[in-house]
Amino acid sequence: MADGFDAEAAAEQKKAEGNEFHKSKDYKAAIKCYSEAIELNPTSFSLYGNRSASYMMLGHYTAALEDAKASVNLNNNFIKGYIREIKCHIALGQAAAAQNVEQKLLHLDTNFSVDDKRTLDDCNKQIAALTLNEAKARKALEVDDCRSAAYYFEQCSKLSPGNTSYKVLKAECQAMLGKLTDAAELASEVVRKETNADAIYVLALCSYYQDNMDRALKLFSEVLRLAPDHKKSLETYKKVKKLGKMKEDGNEAFKLGKYQEAYDLYSEALKIDPHNKYTNAKIYCNRANAGGKLKKLDESIKDCEKAIQLDETYEKAYLRRAKLLQEAGRYEEAVRDCEHVFKKNPTPSHKKTLQEAKLELKKSKRKDYYKLLGVDKGANEDEIKKAYKKLALQHHPDRHHTDPEEEREEHEKKFKDIGEAYAVLSDKTKRHRYDTGQDLDEYDGPGGFQDVDHNHIFQMFFGGGGGGHDFFSHPGGGSRRQTSGFQPGGGGMHFSFQTG
């Protein structure tokens, strides 16, 4: 005491004020009062004990632990101080340290109240649960069971809210499971409170798995700046660079028309990281595009399906599959894919794509005149004429008059079909209507579809009437003279071939 000032009495007054603030849950004000009281009387174990309790209520477990230790150092029989120390160790995820303090407490020559015994029993249960859950989490990680690991780390976090490592480990497991939004939110929560390299690593991982390679590389670089020996960041950084380069090399090869090289590069890229769903979905889709150019239709359709399995919102994969399905003649499935995309995102472009798919479906239900003549859709006039001439001679009924009835009828049908195909594809107007899916039966111009004369078409190429041409040799030798003509199935077609 100096000049009549009683420091201990003043400290007790501040302690009483702090107690009132603590009761009213104004813990910051309580801590301020206890701190002022400690300055007045730094040897009072109860002041450190009370401030420890207020720190605990704010979740400041490290500060609370220091005060709890200070209180028992000043009074090694202070049971509440030991109990607070145990609770802080549990809250910080330090199960072994909590057990050590408990053993020290149990060796004290003192009597425990009923409440103290009940509290110690609760602490024992928490220590056991924390130890068990952490062991299970670590074991799950060893076998890449991220789902189980995330669950057990969550249980650890509930028992130890002051331990950020459990939160970060749970966030990392969520990232590996593809729960990127949840993982990023949890990691960001940690980063807002402290500079934590492991949490930043999780944020980098989320960016990488969202196919945001540039941001991922920046975040991995930040981790390595904070912790140069961060093994996971070093490994993943290299993986990001390798995957990005291989994907870009594949894209460049595709642009140059090197489709097999692009296909091979995409295949190698898919082996780098099976956990990267969104990037791999794009690579599968790119490989499907290259495979389509190589006419690997079945494999490419399957690649699109894999892309959709990895990212069911990936529009491009649905549209690419629709295109490949059309090339494979599976028009109804192509329409379903286009309908799915338009329903999810009804843009004018998707509407047009759907209309085009429906048109192709409609066209597919008609005879394929290009296929009948064995020519490509871009065939020119000479190619169409050449194809018709070859097939007309091959399937003309007179050439097969001695064949069994079933075979003869099949040739008759083919002959009629190729004549019909030529009549349409050799006429620019009809061909345009056919190519654009319009009904040929509605064509009312001269020489409408219903007016196709197969006899006339054939005679245009090979002559007829009194032309005196030899076309088919009689099986017995010499030539066969036919004047009565051929009329298959009563269809009104008439072919007259005369030999001199």
Side-chain angles (χ1 to χ4, degrees), residues 186-287:
L186 191 54
S188 296
E189 179 186 322
V190 173
V191 171
R192 281 194 293 269
K193 295 178 181 178
E194 62 181 71
T195 301
N196 187 301
D198 290 328
I200 297 172
Y201 165 74
V202 173
L203 291 175
L205 201 62
C206 289
S207 294
Y208 166 52
Y209 285 156
Q210 289 170 327
D211 199 41
N212 189 342
M213 300 299 187
D214 290 339
R215 184 168 186 269
L217 289 172
K218 288 179 181 178
L219 289 170
F220 283 127
S221 297
E222 175 63 13
V223 175
L224 295 172
R225 185 186 69 80
L226 295 170
D229 296 327
H230 198 282
K231 186 177 179 181
K232 289 182 180 178
S233 286
L234 281 168
E235 292 175 351
T236 313
Y237 182 88
K238 293 176 183 177
K239 192 182 293 184
V240 175
K241 296 284 284 185
K242 182 179 180 182
L243 182 58
K245 184 178 187 306
M246 195 161 286
K247 179 185 173 187
E248 288 305 313
D249 287 348
N251 293 345
E252 187 62 29
F254 184 89
K255 291 176 184 176
L256 295 173
K258 301 176 180 179
Y259 302 124
Q260 186 60 56
E261 182 180 337
Y263 190 92
D264 294 340
L265 284 166
Y266 293 138
S267 298
E268 288 301 310
L270 287 168
K271 298 175 183 177
I272 294 174
D273 188 356
H275 291 291
N276 196 325
K277 292 169 57 177
Y278 293 108
T279 300
N280 287 344
K282 291 182 179 180
I283 296 173
Y284 271 120
C285 196
N286 287 358
R287 190 171 75 170

Side-chain angles (χ1 to χ4, degrees), residues 21-225:
F21 282 124
H22 187 92
K23 288 178 183 177
S24 63
K25 299 182 179 180
D26 188 349
Y27 304 116
K28 289 183 178 180
I31 289 169
K32 184 174 181 294
C33 289
Y34 294 139
S35 296
E36 292 174 359
I38 288 171
E39 289 181 9
L40 293 168
N41 186 9
T43 60
S44 173
F45 71 90
S46 63
L47 289 176
Y48 286 101
N50 287 5
R51 190 169 70 172
S52 174
S54 292
Y55 273 132
M56 288 177 70
M57 296 307 295
L58 290 175
H60 298 170
Y61 297 107
T62 301
L65 178 60
E66 292 304 312
D67 274 354
K69 287 180 177 180
S71 71
V72 298
N73 284 336
L74 291 168
N75 182 356
N76 61 10
N77 287 311
F78 184 37
I79 295 175
K80 285 187 177 179
Y82 286 110
I83 290 176
R84 289 188 184 119
E85 190 177 350
I86 292 170
K87 287 183 174 180
C88 287
H89 280 306
I90 293 172
L92 292 169
Q94 300 164 358
Q99 284 180 319
N100 290 336
V101 175
E102 183 187 16
Q103 290 302 312
K104 188 186 298 184
L105 176 59
L106 293 174
H107 282 87
L108 291 179
D109 185 15
T110 185
N111 293 320
F112 294 97
S113 69
V114 174
D115 286 342
D116 289 338
K117 288 180 179 179
R118 186 181 301 115
T119 301
L120 282 174
D121 284 342
D122 289 341
C123 287
N124 272 325
K125 291 176 182 177
Q126 291 174 15
I127 292 170
L130 178 59
T131 303
L132 179 63
N133 280 297
E134 181 170 350
K136 287 184 175 181
R138 302 289 180 185
K139 187 174 181 179
L141 283 181
E142 289 176 4
V143 294
D144 290 329
D145 184 0
C146 293
R147 192 175 304 281
S148 295
Y151 170 78
Y152 291 122
F153 281 130
E154 182 179 6
Q155 303 311 305
C156 290
S157 290
K158 290 177 181 178
L159 293 164
S160 306
N163 185 307
T164 56
S165 66
Y166 292 140
K167 294 179 181 179
V168 174
L169 287 167
K170 177 190 172 184
E172 184 178 346
C173 290
Q174 288 177 322
M176 299 301 287
L177 291 168
K179 297 180 179 180
L180 302 178
T181 301
D182 293 340
E185 287 179 357
L186 191 54
S188 296
E189 179 186 322
V190 173
V191 171
R192 281 194 293 269
K193 295 178 181 178
E194 62 181 71
T195 301
N196 187 301
D198 290 328
I200 297 172
Y201 165 74
V202 173
L203 291 175
L205 201 62
C206 289
S207 294
Y208 166 52
Y209 285 156
Q210 289 170 327
D211 199 41
N212 189 342
M213 300 299 187
D214 290 339
R215 184 168 186 269
L217 289 172
K218 288 179 181 178
L219 289 170
F220 283 127
S221 297
E222 175 63 13
V223 175
L224 295 172
R225 185 186 69 80

